[in-house]
Every structure is written in C-alpha cells, then in structure tokens.
Amino acid sequence: MPGNELTRLRVAITAFFALDGFVFAGWVVRIPDIKEQTQSSASALGLALLGISAGAVLTMTATGRLCRRYGSHPVSVAWTAVLALSVALPPLTRSAAALGAVLLLFGAAYGGVNVAYNSAAVDLVAALRKPVMPGFHAAFSLGGMVGAGLGGVVAGSLSPVRHLLGLTLVGLLVTAVAGRTLLRHRTPAPPDRRRQPHQGDRRPDGRGRGLVVVLGLIALCTAYGEGAMADWGALHLQQDLAASSGTAAAGYACFALAMTVGRLTGTTLLQRLGRGRTVIAGGGTAAAGMLLAALAPSVWAALLGFAVTGLGLANLFPVAVERAGALAGPSGVAVASTFGYGGMLLGPPAIGFLADRLSLPAALTSVAVLAAIASLVGVATRGAMR
C-alpha cells in the first residue's frame, strides 16, 4: 500500500480513537444528572452502570471473531455508528432498570470499538514498521480530556438530552468522514507477510497463546491502576491529606495529563528502548510513583506521585495490545482488551475492600504492587517482546 494511503489510514484511525475518548467522557460527566433524572439511589445507579461493563465483556471476544471474518475496518465503522447512536439513549430513560438496559447496548458498542480500533491499529503498525501504537492511545486520552472539559462547560446550559444528542451528531459525522477512508482501503499487510495469509487468520501455537495471556496480564495491571486513580485518587487527597475539593480534582488531572504526555512520546521511547525495556521501565516508574502518591506526607508530593504514575503506566497497555495483536490478530487484541477491561473493573472495588480493612493509602499501594508485577513480567518475557 502506498505511503500516502497508509498516512490517510493513520489519520482516520487516530480520529476514531479520539472520538471514543470524547464520547465516553461526555457521557461520564452527565452521570450525576442522569442519576437525578432517573431518581436512582447510589446502589441502583451502580447496578445500572454495570450494564456498560457487562455489554463490553460480552462483545469483546465476539468482535475479535468479526474482525477475523470481515476485517477490522468495516467492523470499526459499524460499532462506531452504534456507539454514537447509543450514547443519546441514557437521558431518555426514567428508571434505573431502563438505564441499565440502554447502558448494556452502550457498553457493547464501547467494548466492540475498542477491540476493532486496536485490531486496525495493530495491522497498521505492522505495515508501517514503526511503533506508533502509543499515539493512537494518546488520541483516546486527548479526546477524553476534551470531552470532559467541554461537558463541564456545557453542563450548566445544555440538558443531558441535548448534550448527548450533540455527541451522537459528532460521532456520526466522524464516522461518515473517517469511515470512508477505512472502508475504501483494505487492512494493510506488512511487507514480509504480503504473500502469506491475512494477519487475522493467524493461529498462535501453545507458547504464543500463553504469551497472549501474559500480555493480557500486563494490560490488567495497567488498567487496574487507571480505574483506581479515577475513582479513589481525589478521595485520598481530601480524606488523608486534607486537600480542598479543587486540589483533589487536580489529582486525576495530573495523572491523566502525564499519561497523555507519556503516550505522545511513546513512539520515540519504543524506538529507543524497545517493547521489553519500555514495559520494565514503565512498570518500575509507576510502582515508585504510586508508592509516593499513597504514602506522601503532603498534597504536592502526592500530586507528583500521581504524575509519575501516569508517565509510568502510559505505554504499558498500548504495548500489550499491539504485541498480542501481532501474535494472534484480532483474537489476541480481544484477549488483551478483555483482561485490561477486567482490571479496570477490578480496581475500584478492590481498593474499596482493602481500604475498609486497612486504610486507603495502604489500599492504593496495591496499584504499585501490580505495576511492579507488570515490570517483572516484562523482564520474564523480554525476549518475546521484540
């Protein structure tokens, strides 16, 4: 495939990653309004929100199969259209049960796009022969930051119905524009595989399947930290370090911004260090940063720890997904993504459980433990990471 076509594909896939983060963040900032609208208790809302998780888990493996059969490009376009349409449904509900039902569809689309996008990105990375995977995930992070910021600005003037309908229109517009590029071009094959079966048809041997699971473990360790930071970071700053609500909110902002910066520089890092060293260094950095954040005696030291943790975790998930996809095609992406999503689900309740029995700072050190495990996995699989 000519270089200019690969460039257009890269731009289109980047746009889809950014849209994914933008739409999801836009929904998240309206959750309090939806809770009030549906008159849901905290427990009822929590059960309704499980619909997102259940839908995502149900579709991730199935999407891997669809990508093998039809190609990641058309599957990406189809799931993006469903995601854009489904995000408009939550503000139309009037009960927690109805909210849970529409969030099941929204979660299914969210899980589907994550597997399809990453599968398309893995194929493009292989064709480019350049480690650009972190750039796609940086686009997701940037889209999320823009979506959250814009949502906060319009929350006072737009109802949830109008806001989320606006997200639908933006989503459909991006799908129509960027989707044309994906549908026009077949999934690119890397130069050394053009005479071999399509990447999506690859079947790893026993050792390869085991490595895909190990890579999924790295994704789980990373996403555990992301989920924990999102749900418990601000509370730690307020409860344990007496920070103001504004400063506490800045804790996750420091983490998210550092993760975005880390991903924007991830391609350069991978070119210099390689996958194995990047995982080892990233896991070690995140472990040190989270220990500082959890045990810091002051707010500013904790904020520094959050930032260091974000830098360390930034490229672990992209590396794990890219390598799993290179080994097993869309099925590998589905396995790594499912593990990662499981880690994001496991993190917040696990932190809460540990905090009840120990303390919140002690519970947050579990993020450091899992980051260290990811680093050790990188040491053990360094040869296979090349």
Side-chain angles (χ1 to χ4, degrees):
M1 182 178 290
N4 59 341
E5 293 186 7
L6 291 176
T7 299
R8 284 195 290 268
L9 277 178
R10 183 176 177 180
V11 171
I13 294 171
T14 299
F16 275 131
F17 270 90
L19 176 67
D20 187 18
F22 179 79
V23 168
F24 192 78
W27 142 251
V28 166
V29 300
R30 302 314 297 250
I31 289 177
D33 297 313
I34 303 298
K35 177 180 182 297
E36 182 178 352
Q37 175 183 296
T38 57
Q39 298 182 337
S40 301
S41 65
S43 58
L45 178 65
L47 288 174
L49 291 175
L50 281 177
I52 297 178
S53 307
V57 170
L58 286 173
T59 57
M60 281 182 168
T61 300
T63 300
R65 297 193 187 100
L66 289 173
C67 289
R68 285 201 310 272
R69 182 169 182 178
Y70 300 107
S72 58
H73 291 181
V75 175
S76 293
V77 174
W79 272 128
T80 305
V82 176
L83 181 72
L85 292 170
S86 62
V87 76
L89 298 178
L92 303 180
T93 59
R94 292 294 181 269
S95 68
L99 178 62
V102 300
L103 290 182
L104 187 68
L105 175 62
F106 179 68
Y110 184 69
V113 298
N114 277 279
V115 172
Y117 292 176
N118 278 292
S119 296
V122 165
D123 289 335
L124 184 59
V125 168
L128 289 170
R129 289 188 165 183
K130 186 178 181 181
V132 297
M133 194 70 169
F136 296 122
H137 289 263
F140 173 85
S141 298
L142 286 171
M145 293 174 67
V146 172
L150 182 61
V153 170
V154 305
S157 57
L158 288 181
S159 67
V161 172
R162 292 184 176 181
H163 178 200
L164 298 188
L165 180 59
L167 296 185
T168 293
L169 296 177
V170 171
L172 292 176
L173 178 62
V174 173
T175 302
V177 176
R180 290 179 61 189
T181 300
L182 263 65
L183 294 176
R184 188 181 300 123
H185 302 295
R186 297 181 61 184
T187 302
D192 57 351
R193 288 187 181 137
R194 285 174 184 163
R195 297 183 180 276
Q196 299 178 19
H198 184 271
Q199 282 186 310
D201 296 327
R202 296 195 303 280
R203 296 291 187 274
D205 55 19
R207 182 174 178 275
R209 285 191 294 270
L211 183 56
V212 167
V213 172
V214 169
L215 292 165
L217 177 62
I218 294 175
L220 184 151
C221 293
T222 305
Y224 178 98
E226 291 187 54
M229 291 296 297
D231 286 16
W232 294 101
L235 182 62
H236 169 55
L237 291 172
Q238 281 186 298
Q239 174 183 291
D240 302 313
L241 297 174
S244 66
S245 57
T247 303
Y252 183 71
C254 287
F255 172 80
L257 180 60
M259 178 168 278
T260 302
V261 171
R263 286 175 170 173
L264 287 171
T265 58
T267 296
T268 301
L269 187 67
L270 285 167
Q271 287 175 325
R272 292 183 177 180
L273 299 182
R275 297 187 191 93
R277 289 181 181 177
T278 297
V279 170
I280 295 167
T285 300
M290 199 61 230
L291 285 175
L292 174 61
L295 306 177
S298 69
V299 171
W300 299 111
L303 291 175
L304 175 61
F306 287 165
V308 173
T309 302
L311 284 173
L313 293 180
N315 295 301
L316 301 191
F317 189 88
V319 168
V321 171
E322 185 273 327
R323 189 58 184 152
L327 287 169
S331 294
V333 173
V335 169
S337 298
T338 301
F339 268 80
Y341 203 79
M344 190 167 287
L345 296 178
L346 175 65
I351 296 293
F353 177 83
L354 291 172
D356 283 343
R357 282 151 183 78
L358 301 171
S359 67
L360 183 53
L364 287 172
T365 61
S366 64
V367 175
V369 171
L370 288 184
I373 290 174
S375 184
L376 292 175
V377 170
V379 172
T381 60
R382 184 172 171 182
M385 286 278 193
R386 295 174 182 171

